Coordinates of all heavy atoms in Angstrom, one line a residue:
M282 N 41.5 -16.8 10.0 CA 42.3 -16.2 11.1 C 42.6 -17.3 12.1 O 41.7 -18.1 12.4 CB 41.5 -15.1 11.7 CG 42.3 -14.2 12.5 SD 41.3 -12.8 13.0 CE 41.0 -13.2 14.8
R283 N 43.8 -17.2 12.7 CA 44.2 -18.1 13.8 C 44.4 -17.4 15.1 O 45.0 -16.3 15.1 CB 45.5 -18.8 13.4 CG 45.3 -19.7 12.2 CD 46.7 -20.1 11.7 NE 46.5 -21.0 10.6 CZ 46.9 -22.3 10.6 NH1 47.6 -22.8 11.6 NH2 46.7 -23.1 9.6
E284 N 43.9 -17.9 16.1 CA 44.0 -17.3 17.4 C 44.6 -18.3 18.4 O 44.1 -19.4 18.6 CB 42.6 -16.9 17.9 CG 42.6 -16.1 19.2 CD 41.2 -15.5 19.5 OE1 40.3 -15.6 18.6 OE2 41.0 -15.0 20.6
R285 N 45.7 -18.0 19.0 CA 46.4 -18.9 19.9 C 45.5 -19.2 21.2 O 45.0 -18.2 21.8 CB 47.7 -18.3 20.4 CG 48.5 -19.2 21.3 CD 49.7 -18.5 21.8 NE 50.6 -19.4 22.5 CZ 50.5 -19.7 23.8 NH1 49.5 -19.2 24.5 NH2 51.3 -20.5 24.4
L286 N 45.3 -20.4 21.5 CA 44.6 -20.8 22.7 C 45.5 -21.2 23.8 O 45.3 -20.8 25.0 CB 43.6 -22.0 22.4 CG 42.5 -21.7 21.3 CD1 41.7 -22.9 21.1 CD2 41.7 -20.5 21.8
C287 N 46.5 -22.0 23.5 CA 47.4 -22.4 24.6 C 48.6 -23.1 23.9 O 48.6 -23.4 22.7 CB 46.7 -23.3 25.6 SG 46.2 -24.9 24.9
A288 N 49.6 -23.4 24.8 CA 50.7 -24.2 24.3 C 50.3 -25.7 24.3 O 49.5 -26.1 25.1 CB 51.9 -24.0 25.2
S289 N 50.9 -26.4 23.3 CA 50.6 -27.8 23.3 C 50.8 -28.5 24.6 O 50.0 -29.4 25.0 CB 51.4 -28.5 22.2 OG 51.1 -28.1 20.9
G290 N 51.8 -28.1 25.3 CA 52.2 -28.8 26.6 C 51.2 -28.5 27.7 O 51.2 -29.1 28.7
D291 N 50.3 -27.5 27.5 CA 49.3 -27.2 28.5 C 48.2 -28.2 28.5 O 47.3 -28.1 29.4 CB 48.7 -25.8 28.3 CG 49.8 -24.7 28.4 OD1 50.8 -24.9 29.1 OD2 49.5 -23.6 27.9
L292 N 48.1 -29.0 27.5 CA 46.9 -29.9 27.3 C 47.3 -31.3 27.1 O 47.5 -31.8 26.0 CB 46.1 -29.4 26.1 CG 44.8 -30.0 25.9 CD1 43.8 -29.8 27.0 CD2 44.1 -29.4 24.6
P293 N 47.5 -32.1 28.2 CA 47.9 -33.5 28.1 C 46.7 -34.3 27.5 O 45.6 -33.9 27.5 CB 48.1 -33.9 29.6 CG 48.2 -32.6 30.3 CD 47.4 -31.6 29.6
E294 N 47.1 -35.5 27.0 CA 46.1 -36.4 26.4 C 45.0 -36.7 27.5 O 45.3 -37.0 28.7 CB 46.8 -37.7 26.0 CG 45.9 -38.8 25.6 CD 45.0 -38.5 24.4 OE1 45.5 -37.8 23.5 OE2 43.9 -38.9 24.4
G295 N 43.8 -36.7 27.0 CA 42.6 -37.0 27.9 C 42.2 -36.0 28.8 O 41.4 -36.2 29.7
E296 N 42.7 -34.7 28.6 CA 42.4 -33.6 29.5 C 41.6 -32.6 28.9 O 41.5 -32.5 27.6 CB 43.7 -33.0 30.0 CG 44.6 -33.9 30.9 CD 44.0 -34.2 32.2 OE1 43.3 -33.4 32.8 OE2 44.1 -35.4 32.7
V297 N 41.0 -31.7 29.7 CA 40.2 -30.6 29.2 C 40.7 -29.4 30.0 O 40.9 -29.5 31.2 CB 38.7 -30.8 29.3 CG1 38.3 -31.2 30.7 CG2 37.9 -29.6 28.9
I298 N 40.8 -28.2 29.3 CA 41.2 -27.0 30.0 C 40.3 -25.9 29.6 O 39.7 -25.9 28.5 CB 42.7 -26.6 29.8 CG1 42.9 -26.3 28.3 CG2 43.6 -27.6 30.4 CD1 44.3 -25.6 28.1
Q299 N 40.1 -24.9 30.4 CA 39.3 -23.7 30.1 C 40.2 -22.7 29.5 O 41.3 -22.4 30.0 CB 38.7 -23.2 31.4 CG 37.7 -22.0 31.1 CD 37.3 -21.3 32.4 OE1 38.1 -20.8 33.2 NE2 36.0 -21.4 32.7
V300 N 39.8 -22.0 28.4 CA 40.5 -21.0 27.8 C 39.6 -19.7 27.6 O 38.5 -19.8 27.1 CB 41.1 -21.4 26.4 CG1 41.8 -20.2 25.7 CG2 42.0 -22.5 26.5
D301 N 40.1 -18.6 28.2 CA 39.4 -17.3 28.1 C 39.8 -16.6 26.8 O 41.0 -16.3 26.7 CB 39.7 -16.5 29.4 CG 39.0 -15.2 29.4 OD1 38.3 -14.8 28.4 OD2 39.0 -14.6 30.5
L302 N 38.9 -16.4 25.9 CA 39.3 -15.7 24.7 C 39.5 -14.2 24.9 O 39.9 -13.5 23.9 CB 38.3 -16.0 23.6 CG 38.2 -17.4 23.1 CD1 37.1 -17.6 22.0 CD2 39.5 -17.9 22.6
G303 N 39.1 -13.7 26.0 CA 39.3 -12.3 26.3 C 38.2 -11.4 25.7 O 38.3 -10.2 25.9
D304 N 37.2 -12.0 25.1 CA 36.1 -11.1 24.5 C 34.8 -11.6 25.1 O 33.7 -11.4 24.5 CB 36.1 -11.2 23.0 CG 35.9 -12.7 22.5 OD1 35.7 -13.6 23.4 OD2 35.9 -12.9 21.3
G305 N 34.8 -12.2 26.3 CA 33.6 -12.6 27.0 C 33.3 -14.1 26.7 O 32.4 -14.6 27.3
R306 N 34.0 -14.7 25.8 CA 33.8 -16.1 25.4 C 34.8 -17.0 26.2 O 36.0 -16.7 26.2 CB 33.9 -16.4 23.9 CG 32.8 -15.7 23.1 CD 32.9 -16.1 21.7 NE 34.2 -15.5 21.1 CZ 34.8 -15.9 20.0 NH1 34.2 -16.9 19.3 NH2 35.9 -15.4 19.6
M307 N 34.3 -18.1 26.7 CA 35.1 -19.1 27.3 C 35.0 -20.4 26.6 O 33.9 -20.8 26.3 CB 34.7 -19.3 28.8 CG 34.7 -18.1 29.6 SD 36.4 -17.5 30.0 CE 36.6 -18.2 31.6
L308 N 36.1 -21.0 26.3 CA 36.0 -22.3 25.6 C 36.6 -23.4 26.5 O 37.4 -23.2 27.4 CB 36.9 -22.3 24.3 CG 36.5 -21.3 23.2 CD1 37.4 -21.6 22.0 CD2 35.1 -21.4 22.9
A309 N 36.1 -24.6 26.3 CA 36.7 -25.8 26.8 C 37.5 -26.5 25.7 O 36.9 -26.7 24.6 CB 35.6 -26.8 27.4
V310 N 38.8 -26.7 25.9 CA 39.6 -27.3 24.9 C 40.1 -28.6 25.4 O 40.6 -28.8 26.5 CB 40.8 -26.3 24.6 CG1 41.7 -26.8 23.5 CG2 40.3 -24.9 24.3
Y311 N 40.0 -29.6 24.5 CA 40.2 -31.0 24.8 C 41.3 -31.6 23.9 O 41.5 -31.3 22.8 CB 39.0 -31.8 24.5 CG 37.7 -31.2 25.0 CD1 37.0 -30.2 24.3 CD2 37.1 -31.7 26.2 CE1 35.8 -29.7 24.8 CE2 35.9 -31.2 26.6 CZ 35.3 -30.2 25.9 OH 34.1 -29.7 26.4
R312 N 42.0 -32.6 24.5 CA 42.9 -33.5 23.7 C 42.3 -34.9 23.9 O 42.3 -35.4 25.0 CB 44.3 -33.4 24.1 CG 45.2 -34.2 23.2 CD 46.7 -34.3 23.6 NE 47.3 -33.0 23.7 CZ 47.9 -32.3 22.7 NH1 47.8 -32.8 21.5 NH2 48.4 -31.1 22.9
L313 N 41.9 -35.5 22.8 CA 41.3 -36.8 22.8 C 41.9 -37.6 21.7 O 41.8 -37.3 20.5 CB 39.8 -36.5 22.5 CG 38.8 -37.5 23.0 CD1 38.8 -37.6 24.5 CD2 37.4 -36.9 22.6
E314 N 42.5 -38.7 22.1 CA 43.1 -39.7 21.2 C 44.0 -39.0 20.2 O 44.0 -39.2 19.0 CB 42.0 -40.5 20.5 CG 41.2 -41.3 21.4 CD 39.9 -41.9 20.8 OE1 39.7 -41.7 19.7 OE2 39.2 -42.6 21.6
G315 N 44.8 -38.0 20.7 CA 45.8 -37.3 19.8 C 45.2 -36.1 19.1 O 46.0 -35.3 18.6
D316 N 43.9 -35.9 19.0 CA 43.4 -34.8 18.3 C 42.9 -33.7 19.3 O 42.6 -34.1 20.5 CB 42.2 -35.2 17.4 CG 42.6 -35.9 16.2 OD1 43.7 -35.6 15.7 OD2 41.9 -36.8 15.7
V317 N 42.8 -32.5 18.8 CA 42.3 -31.4 19.7 C 41.0 -30.9 19.3 O 40.7 -30.9 18.1 CB 43.3 -30.2 19.8 CG1 44.6 -30.7 20.6 CG2 43.7 -29.7 18.4
F318 N 40.2 -30.6 20.2 CA 38.8 -30.1 20.0 C 38.5 -29.0 20.9 O 39.1 -28.8 22.0 CB 37.8 -31.3 20.3 CG 38.0 -32.5 19.5 CD1 38.9 -33.5 20.0 CD2 37.5 -32.7 18.3 CE1 39.1 -34.7 19.3 CE2 37.7 -33.8 17.5 CZ 38.5 -34.8 18.0
A319 N 37.4 -28.2 20.6 CA 37.0 -27.1 21.5 C 35.5 -27.0 21.4 O 34.9 -27.2 20.3 CB 37.6 -25.8 21.0
T320 N 34.9 -26.7 22.5 CA 33.5 -26.4 22.6 C 33.3 -25.2 23.5 O 34.2 -24.7 24.2 CB 32.7 -27.6 23.3 OG1 33.1 -27.7 24.7 CG2 33.0 -28.9 22.6
D321 N 32.0 -24.7 23.6 CA 31.7 -23.8 24.6 C 32.0 -24.4 25.9 O 31.9 -25.6 26.2 CB 30.2 -23.5 24.6 CG 29.7 -22.7 23.3 OD1 30.5 -21.9 22.9 OD2 28.6 -23.0 22.9
D322 N 32.5 -23.5 26.9 CA 32.8 -24.0 28.2 C 31.5 -24.1 29.1 O 31.4 -24.9 30.0 CB 33.8 -23.1 28.9 CG 34.2 -23.6 30.2 OD1 34.6 -24.8 30.3 OD2 34.2 -22.9 31.2
L323 N 30.6 -23.2 28.8 CA 29.4 -23.1 29.6 C 28.4 -24.2 29.2 O 28.0 -24.4 28.1 CB 28.7 -21.7 29.4 CG 27.4 -21.5 30.2 CD1 27.8 -21.4 31.7 CD2 26.8 -20.2 29.8
C324 N 28.0 -25.0 30.2 CA 27.0 -26.0 30.0 C 25.6 -25.4 29.5 O 25.3 -24.3 30.0 CB 26.7 -26.8 31.3 SG 25.5 -28.1 31.2
S325 N 24.9 -26.0 28.7 CA 23.6 -25.5 28.2 C 22.5 -25.7 29.2 O 21.4 -25.2 29.0 CB 23.3 -26.1 26.8 OG 23.1 -27.5 26.9
H326 N 22.8 -26.4 30.2 CA 21.7 -26.7 31.2 C 21.8 -25.7 32.4 O 20.8 -25.5 33.1 CB 21.8 -28.1 31.7 CG 20.8 -28.5 32.8 ND1 21.1 -28.7 34.1 CD2 19.5 -28.7 32.7 CE1 20.1 -29.0 34.8 NE2 19.0 -29.0 33.9
G327 N 23.0 -25.2 32.7 CA 23.1 -24.3 33.9 C 24.5 -23.6 33.8 O 25.2 -23.7 32.9
D328 N 24.8 -23.0 35.0 CA 26.0 -22.1 35.0 C 27.2 -22.9 35.5 O 27.7 -22.7 36.6 CB 25.7 -21.0 36.0 CG 26.8 -19.9 36.0 OD1 27.5 -19.9 35.0 OD2 26.9 -19.2 37.0
A329 N 27.6 -23.9 34.7 CA 28.7 -24.7 35.0 C 29.8 -24.7 34.0 O 29.4 -24.6 32.8 CB 28.2 -26.2 35.2
S330 N 31.0 -24.7 34.4 CA 32.1 -24.8 33.5 C 32.4 -26.2 33.1 O 32.7 -27.0 34.0 CB 33.4 -24.2 34.1 OG 34.5 -24.5 33.4
L331 N 32.3 -26.6 31.9 CA 32.5 -28.0 31.5 C 34.0 -28.4 31.7 O 34.3 -29.5 31.9 CB 32.1 -28.2 30.0 CG 30.6 -28.0 29.8 CD1 30.3 -28.1 28.3 CD2 29.8 -29.1 30.5
A332 N 34.9 -27.4 31.7 CA 36.3 -27.7 31.9 C 36.5 -28.2 33.3 O 37.5 -28.8 33.6 CB 37.1 -26.5 31.7
D333 N 35.5 -28.0 34.2 CA 35.6 -28.6 35.6 C 35.0 -30.0 35.6 O 35.0 -30.6 36.7 CB 34.8 -27.7 36.6 CG 35.5 -26.4 36.8 OD1 36.8 -26.3 36.6 OD2 34.9 -25.4 37.2
G334 N 34.5 -30.5 34.5 CA 34.0 -31.8 34.4 C 35.0 -32.8 34.1 O 36.2 -32.6 34.2
F335 N 34.6 -34.0 33.6 CA 35.6 -35.0 33.2 C 35.1 -35.6 31.9 O 34.0 -35.6 31.5 CB 35.8 -36.0 34.3 CG 34.5 -36.8 34.7 CD1 34.2 -38.0 34.1 CD2 33.6 -36.3 35.6 CE1 33.1 -38.7 34.4 CE2 32.5 -37.0 36.0 CZ 32.2 -38.2 35.3
I336 N 36.1 -36.2 31.3 CA 35.9 -36.9 29.9 C 35.7 -38.4 30.1 O 36.5 -39.0 30.9 CB 37.2 -36.6 29.0 CG1 37.3 -35.1 28.8 CG2 37.0 -37.4 27.7 CD1 38.6 -34.8 28.1
E337 N 34.7 -38.9 29.4 CA 34.4 -40.3 29.4 C 33.9 -40.7 28.1 O 32.9 -40.2 27.7 CB 33.4 -40.6 30.6 CG 33.3 -42.1 30.9 CD 32.4 -42.3 32.1 OE1 31.2 -42.1 32.0 OE2 33.0 -42.5 33.2
N338 N 34.5 -41.7 27.4 CA 34.0 -42.2 26.2 C 33.7 -41.1 25.1 O 32.7 -41.2 24.5 CB 32.8 -43.1 26.4 CG 33.1 -44.2 27.3 OD1 34.2 -44.8 27.3 ND2 32.1 -44.6 28.1
G339 N 34.6 -40.1 25.0 CA 34.5 -39.1 24.0 C 33.4 -38.1 24.4 O 33.1 -37.2 23.5
E340 N 33.0 -38.1 25.6 CA 32.0 -37.1 26.1 C 32.5 -36.3 27.2 O 33.3 -36.9 28.0 CB 30.7 -37.8 26.5 CG 30.0 -38.6 25.4 CD 28.8 -39.4 25.9 OE1 28.8 -39.8 27.0 OE2 27.9 -39.7 25.1
I341 N 32.1 -35.1 27.4 CA 32.4 -34.3 28.6 C 31.2 -34.4 29.5 O 30.0 -34.2 29.1 CB 32.7 -32.8 28.2 CG1 33.1 -32.0 29.5 CG2 31.6 -32.1 27.4 CD1 34.4 -32.4 30.1
V342 N 31.5 -34.7 30.7 CA 30.4 -34.9 31.8 C 30.4 -33.6 32.6 O 31.5 -33.2 33.2 CB 30.7 -36.1 32.6 CG1 29.6 -36.3 33.7 CG2 30.8 -37.4 31.8
C343 N 29.3 -32.9 32.7 CA 29.2 -31.7 33.4 C 29.3 -32.0 34.9 O 28.7 -32.9 35.4 CB 27.8 -31.1 33.1 SG 27.6 -29.5 34.0
P344 N 30.1 -31.1 35.6 CA 30.3 -31.3 37.0 C 29.0 -31.1 37.9 O 29.0 -31.5 39.1 CB 31.4 -30.3 37.4 CG 31.3 -29.2 36.4 CD 30.8 -29.9 35.1
Y345 N 28.0 -30.3 37.4 CA 26.9 -30.0 38.2 C 25.8 -31.1 38.3 O 25.5 -31.6 39.4 CB 26.2 -28.7 37.7 CG 26.8 -27.4 38.2 CD1 28.1 -27.4 38.7 CD2 26.2 -26.2 38.1 CE1 28.7 -26.3 39.1 CE2 26.8 -25.0 38.5 CZ 28.0 -25.1 39.1 OH 28.6 -23.9 39.5
H346 N 25.3 -31.5 37.2 CA 24.2 -32.5 37.2 C 24.5 -33.7 36.4 O 23.6 -34.5 36.0 CB 22.9 -31.9 36.8 CG 22.6 -30.6 37.5 ND1 22.6 -29.4 36.8 CD2 22.2 -30.4 38.7 CE1 22.3 -28.4 37.7 NE2 22.0 -29.0 38.9
M347 N 25.8 -33.9 36.0 CA 26.3 -35.0 35.2 C 25.6 -35.2 33.8 O 25.6 -36.3 33.3 CB 26.1 -36.3 36.1 CG 26.7 -36.3 37.4 SD 28.5 -36.1 37.2 CE 28.9 -35.2 38.7
G348 N 25.1 -34.1 33.3 CA 24.7 -34.1 31.9 C 25.9 -34.3 31.0 O 27.1 -34.2 31.4
R349 N 25.7 -34.7 29.8 CA 26.8 -35.1 28.9 C 26.7 -34.5 27.5 O 25.6 -34.3 27.0 CB 26.8 -36.6 28.7 CG 27.2 -37.4 29.9 CD 27.0 -38.9 29.6 NE 27.6 -39.7 30.8 CZ 28.7 -40.3 30.7 NH1 29.5 -40.3 29.7 NH2 29.2 -40.9 31.8
F350 N 27.8 -34.2 26.9 CA 27.9 -33.7 25.5 C 29.0 -34.5 24.8 O 30.1 -34.8 25.3 CB 28.3 -32.2 25.5 CG 27.3 -31.3 26.2 CD1 27.5 -31.1 27.6 CD2 26.2 -30.8 25.6 CE1 26.6 -30.3 28.3 CE2 25.3 -30.0 26.3 CZ 25.5 -29.7 27.6
D351 N 28.7 -34.7 23.5 CA 29.7 -35.3 22.6 C 30.8 -34.2 22.3 O 30.4 -33.1 21.8 CB 29.1 -35.7 21.3 CG 30.0 -36.5 20.4 OD1 31.1 -35.9 20.0 OD2 29.7 -37.6 20.0
I352 N 32.0 -34.5 22.6 CA 33.1 -33.5 22.5 C 33.3 -33.1 21.0 O 33.6 -32.0 20.7 CB 34.4 -34.0 23.1 CG1 34.2 -34.0 24.6 CG2 35.6 -33.2 22.7 CD1 35.3 -34.8 25.4
R353 N 33.1 -34.0 20.1 CA 33.3 -33.8 18.7 C 32.2 -33.0 18.0 O 32.5 -32.2 17.1 CB 33.6 -35.1 17.9 CG 34.8 -35.8 18.4 CD 34.9 -37.2 17.7 NE 36.2 -37.8 18.0 CZ 36.6 -38.5 19.0 NH1 35.7 -38.7 20.0 NH2 37.8 -39.0 19.2
T354 N 31.0 -33.2 18.4 CA 29.8 -32.6 17.8 C 29.1 -31.5 18.6 O 28.3 -30.8 18.1 CB 28.8 -33.7 17.3 OG1 28.2 -34.2 18.6 CG2 29.5 -34.8 16.5
G355 N 29.3 -31.6 19.9 CA 28.6 -30.7 20.8 C 27.2 -31.2 21.1 O 26.5 -30.5 21.9
E356 N 26.8 -32.3 20.5 CA 25.4 -32.8 20.8 C 25.2 -33.2 22.3 O 26.1 -33.7 22.9 CB 25.2 -34.1 19.9 CG 23.9 -34.7 20.1 CD 23.9 -36.1 19.4 OE1 24.8 -36.4 18.7 OE2 22.8 -36.8 19.5
A357 N 24.1 -32.8 22.8 CA 23.7 -33.3 24.1 C 23.4 -34.8 24.1 O 22.6 -35.2 23.4 CB 22.5 -32.5 24.7
T358 N 24.2 -35.5 24.9 CA 24.0 -37.0 24.9 C 23.6 -37.6 26.2 O 23.4 -38.8 26.3 CB 25.4 -37.6 24.5 OG1 26.4 -37.1 25.4 CG2 25.8 -37.3 23.0
G359 N 23.4 -36.7 27.2 CA 23.0 -37.3 28.5 C 22.1 -36.3 29.3 O 22.5 -35.1 29.3
A360 N 21.0 -36.8 29.8 CA 20.1 -35.9 30.6 C 20.9 -35.4 31.9 O 21.7 -36.1 32.4 CB 18.9 -36.7 31.0
P361 N 20.5 -34.2 32.4 CA 19.4 -33.4 31.9 C 19.7 -32.5 30.7 O 18.8 -31.6 30.4 CB 19.1 -32.6 33.2 CG 20.5 -32.4 33.8 CD 21.2 -33.7 33.5
C362 N 20.8 -32.6 30.1 CA 21.1 -31.7 29.0 C 20.4 -32.1 27.7 O 20.3 -33.3 27.4 CB 22.6 -31.7 28.7 SG 23.6 -31.2 30.1
S363 N 19.8 -31.1 27.0 CA 19.1 -31.4 25.8 C 19.4 -30.5 24.7 O 19.0 -30.7 23.5 CB 17.5 -31.4 26.1 OG 17.2 -30.1 26.5
V364 N 20.1 -29.4 25.0 CA 20.5 -28.4 24.0 C 22.0 -28.5 23.7 O 22.8 -28.6 24.6 CB 20.2 -27.0 24.5 CG1 20.6 -26.0 23.5 CG2 18.7 -26.9 24.8
A365 N 22.3 -28.6 22.4 CA 23.7 -28.8 22.0 C 24.5 -27.5 22.4 O 24.0 -26.4 22.6 CB 23.8 -29.0 20.5
I366 N 25.8 -27.7 22.6 CA 26.8 -26.6 22.8 C 27.5 -26.4 21.5 O 27.6 -27.3 20.7 CB 27.7 -26.9 24.0 CG1 28.4 -28.3 23.8 CG2 27.0 -26.8 25.3 CD1 29.5 -28.5 24.8
G367 N 28.1 -25.2 21.4 CA 28.9 -24.9 20.2 C 30.2 -25.6 20.1 O 30.8 -25.9 21.2
T368 N 30.6 -25.9 18.9 CA 31.9 -26.5 18.7 C 32.7 -25.5 17.8 O 32.2 -24.8 17.0 CB 31.9 -27.9 18.0 OG1 31.2 -27.8 16.8 CG2 31.2 -28.9 18.9
Y369 N 34.1 -25.7 17.9 CA 34.9 -24.7 17.2 C 36.1 -25.5 16.5 O 36.5 -26.5 17.1 CB 35.5 -23.7 18.2 CG 34.4 -23.0 18.9 CD1 33.8 -23.5 20.0 CD2 33.9 -21.8 18.3 CE1 32.7 -22.8 20.6 CE2 32.8 -21.1 18.9 CZ 32.3 -21.6 20.1 OH 31.2 -21.0 20.7
R370 N 36.6 -25.0 15.4 CA 37.7 -25.6 14.7 C 39.0 -25.2 15.4 O 39.3 -24.1 15.5 CB 37.7 -25.2 13.3 CG 36.7 -25.9 12.4 CD 36.9 -25.5 11.0 NE 38.2 -25.9 10.5 CZ 38.8 -25.2 9.5 NH1 38.3 -24.2 8.9 NH2 40.0 -25.6 9.1
V371 N 39.7 -26.2 15.8 CA 41.1 -26.0 16.4 C 42.1 -26.9 15.7 O 41.7 -27.9 15.1 CB 41.1 -26.2 17.9 CG1 40.3 -25.1 18.6 CG2 40.5 -27.6 18.3
Q372 N 43.3 -26.4 15.7 CA 44.4 -27.1 15.1 C 45.6 -27.0 16.1 O 45.8 -26.1 16.8 CB 44.8 -26.5 13.8 CG 44.4 -27.2 12.6 CD 44.8 -26.5 11.3 OE1 45.6 -25.6 11.4 NE2 44.2 -26.9 10.2
E373 N 46.5 -28.0 15.9 CA 47.8 -27.9 16.7 C 48.9 -27.8 15.6 O 49.0 -28.5 14.7 CB 48.0 -29.2 17.4 CG 49.2 -29.2 18.4 CD 49.1 -30.4 19.3 OE1 48.5 -31.4 19.0 OE2 49.7 -30.2 20.4
C374 N 49.7 -26.7 15.8 CA 50.8 -26.5 14.9 C 51.9 -25.7 15.6 O 51.6 -24.8 16.4 CB 50.4 -25.8 13.6 SG 49.5 -24.3 13.8
D375 N 53.1 -26.1 15.4 CA 54.3 -25.5 15.9 C 54.2 -25.3 17.4 O 54.6 -24.3 18.0 CB 54.5 -24.1 15.3 CG 54.8 -24.3 13.8 OD1 55.3 -25.3 13.3 OD2 54.4 -23.3 13.0
G376 N 53.7 -26.4 18.1 CA 53.7 -26.3 19.6 C 52.6 -25.5 20.2 O 52.7 -25.2 21.4
E377 N 51.7 -25.1 19.4 CA 50.6 -24.3 19.9 C 49.2 -24.9 19.4 O 49.1 -25.5 18.4 CB 50.7 -22.9 19.4 CG 51.9 -22.2 19.9 CD 51.8 -20.7 19.7 OE1 51.2 -20.3 18.6 OE2 52.4 -19.9 20.5
I378 N 48.2 -24.7 20.2 CA 46.8 -25.0 19.8 C 46.1 -23.7 19.5 O 46.2 -22.7 20.2 CB 46.1 -25.8 20.9 CG1 46.8 -27.1 21.1 CG2 44.7 -26.0 20.6 CD1 46.4 -27.9 22.3
V379 N 45.6 -23.7 18.2 CA 45.0 -22.4 17.7 C 43.6 -22.6 17.3 O 43.2 -23.7 16.9 CB 45.8 -21.9 16.5 CG1 47.2 -21.5 17.0 CG2 45.9 -22.9 15.4
L380 N 42.8 -21.6 17.4 CA 41.4 -21.5 17.0 C 41.4 -21.0 15.6 O 42.0 -20.0 15.2 CB 40.7 -20.6 17.9 CG 39.2 -20.3 17.6 CD1 38.4 -21.6 17.8 CD2 38.7 -19.2 18.5
I381 N 40.7 -21.7 14.7 CA 40.6 -21.4 13.3 C 39.2 -20.7 13.1 O 38.2 -21.3 13.4 CB 40.7 -22.6 12.3 CG1 41.9 -23.5 12.7 CG2 40.7 -22.2 10.9 CD1 43.2 -22.9 12.4
S382 N 39.2 -19.5 12.5 CA 37.9 -18.8 12.3 C 37.9 -18.2 10.9 O 38.9 -18.2 10.2 CB 37.6 -17.8 13.3 OG 38.7 -16.9 13.4
Ligands
FES135 FE1 25.4 -28.9 33.4 FE2 23.2 -29.1 34.9 S1 24.5 -27.4 34.7 S2 24.1 -30.7 33.7

């Protein structure tokens, strides 16, 4: 099943945006080196939206305590974060970014 997340134009290269799936889940959606990725938006360390953070070297840096996660794998890569976040399959087609489930 495919679920539309946003228009391709909503997500410039090197940016992250928050997408509300409407069922209580919030995703952070990224464009990195031409590919699109999605993770949980909620940091595993606290009540922070990762979409409010910034991208550096393939990692999302949390805006609260500067913990880090690998955008491609969800692995926690920088303290104080130690618990991985979820990752999701996304694709870009026909001008849209879609979630694959
Ligand atoms: Fe994200 Fe603390 S809430 S690093």
Side-chain angles (χ1 to χ4, degrees):
M282 196 174 106
R283 291 167 179 244
E284 186 172 350
R285 181 186 188 277
L286 296 178
C287 63
S289 292
D291 293 338
L292 188 59
E294 172 61 36
E296 295 290 325
V297 53
I298 61 170
Q299 184 189 63
V300 175
D301 184 347
L302 293 181
D304 60 1
R306 291 182 297 162
M307 303 289 263
L308 298 187
V310 183
Y311 312 81
R312 187 186 298 279
L313 206 56
E314 297 170 0
D316 285 329
V317 289
F318 302 92
T320 69
D321 290 326
D322 184 50
L323 183 65
C324 180
S325 63
H326 180 251
D328 189 22
S330 166
L331 293 174
D333 289 336
F335 62 91
I336 295 171
E337 193 172 75
N338 299 326
E340 297 173 333
I341 181 69
V342 182
C343 178
Y345 276 18
H346 309 109
M347 303 298 151
R349 289 172 174 259
F350 301 92
D351 186 304
I352 289 168
R353 292 174 172 85
T354 67
E356 179 189 357
T358 52
C362 300
S363 59
V364 176
I366 53 173
T368 57
Y369 302 87
R370 283 185 59 208
V371 288
Q372 254 178 15
E373 187 166 25
C374 53
D375 299 329
E377 295 190 328
I378 296 171
V379 295
L380 177 67
I381 310 290
S382 55

